[in-house]
Amino acid sequence: MDQSSVIFISIMSAAGLAVLVFAAFLVSRRWKRRRRSQLMDEMEGHDFEYFCADLLRKNGFLDVEVTKGSGDYGVDILAEKDGVTYAVQCKCYNAPIGVKAVQEVYAGRDYYDRMVGAVMTNQYFTSAAVAAAGKLKILLWDRGYIDSMMEEQD
């Protein structure tokens, strides 16, 4: 073999190794993200609230505060981002989230004098909840939205 063939083979081997390392990195990130998403389903309600508060902080929210457990008027987290104040209701369930969560954060938003109300969940929402949220101007942050928030912090 001449020297140019040896150099070419060396370059191709290095490139192949780089592709393998990059692929392993991507698979590792995807596995880690999926595992975090699964852990979310195993959390108790209060743990999920702190998980959501931490996720909001990592996504640029400021003055993030978890409210006291009982008598919170349907609001689990108070936060602010870009001059907008939020009241967030967290629901860690194993079934779709219904209208009640939307109603609770609607009332809690006004009680805490916040600009925006949102329901944040590890699940998805019923069609009735989506319709109510549209009428009451409540944001719905479902599992897909939370997953995208986790991706942004990676």
Side-chain angles (χ1 to χ4, degrees):
M1 246 196 268
D2 66 359
Q3 187 176 6
S4 62
S5 295
V6 171
I7 291 172
F8 177 76
I9 291 171
S10 296
I11 291 172
M12 294 308 292
S13 295
L17 181 60
V19 167
L20 285 175
V21 168
F22 184 68
F25 169 75
L26 290 178
V27 167
S28 171
R29 263 181 82 186
R30 188 174 297 129
W31 182 85
K32 205 160 78 173
R33 202 175 312 129
R34 184 176 298 134
R35 182 65 187 137
R36 272 191 308 198
S37 187
Q38 290 169 343
L39 286 174
M40 178 172 51
D41 293 331
E42 299 167 8
M43 293 179 185
E44 297 296 325
H46 209 56
D47 292 333
F48 183 68
E49 292 168 11
Y50 281 95
F51 169 81
C52 291
D54 188 48
L55 192 56
L56 291 173
R57 277 186 206 95
K58 290 178 179 176
N59 281 272
F61 285 78
L62 305 171
D63 300 323
V64 178
E65 172 191 343
V66 177
T67 62
K68 63 183 191 234
S70 60
D72 60 14
Y73 298 93
V75 172
D76 299 311
I77 299 172
L78 301 172
E80 182 266 323
K81 184 174 184 178
D82 300 328
V84 177
T85 56
Y86 291 80
V88 182
Q89 168 75 279
C90 300
K91 294 291 184 188
C92 187
Y93 285 7
N94 58 7
I97 307 303
V99 172
K100 186 176 182 224
V102 174
Q103 293 168 329
E104 289 173 349
V105 79
Y106 175 73
R109 175 188 66 191
D110 289 347
Y111 178 82
Y112 286 102
D113 196 28
R114 297 294 164 138
M115 298 171 173
V116 176
V119 181
M120 194 169 188
T121 182
N122 66 318
Q123 289 295 321
Y124 295 92
F125 295 93
T126 64
S127 58
V130 171
K135 286 279 191 187
L136 300 174
K137 296 175 179 52
I138 298 296
L139 299 177
L140 300 179
W141 296 340
D142 64 12
R143 181 181 204 93
Y145 190 82
I146 290 177
D147 285 344
S148 69
M149 289 178 83
M150 287 190 294
E151 285 178 24
E152 286 182 28
Q153 68 176 328
D154 285 340

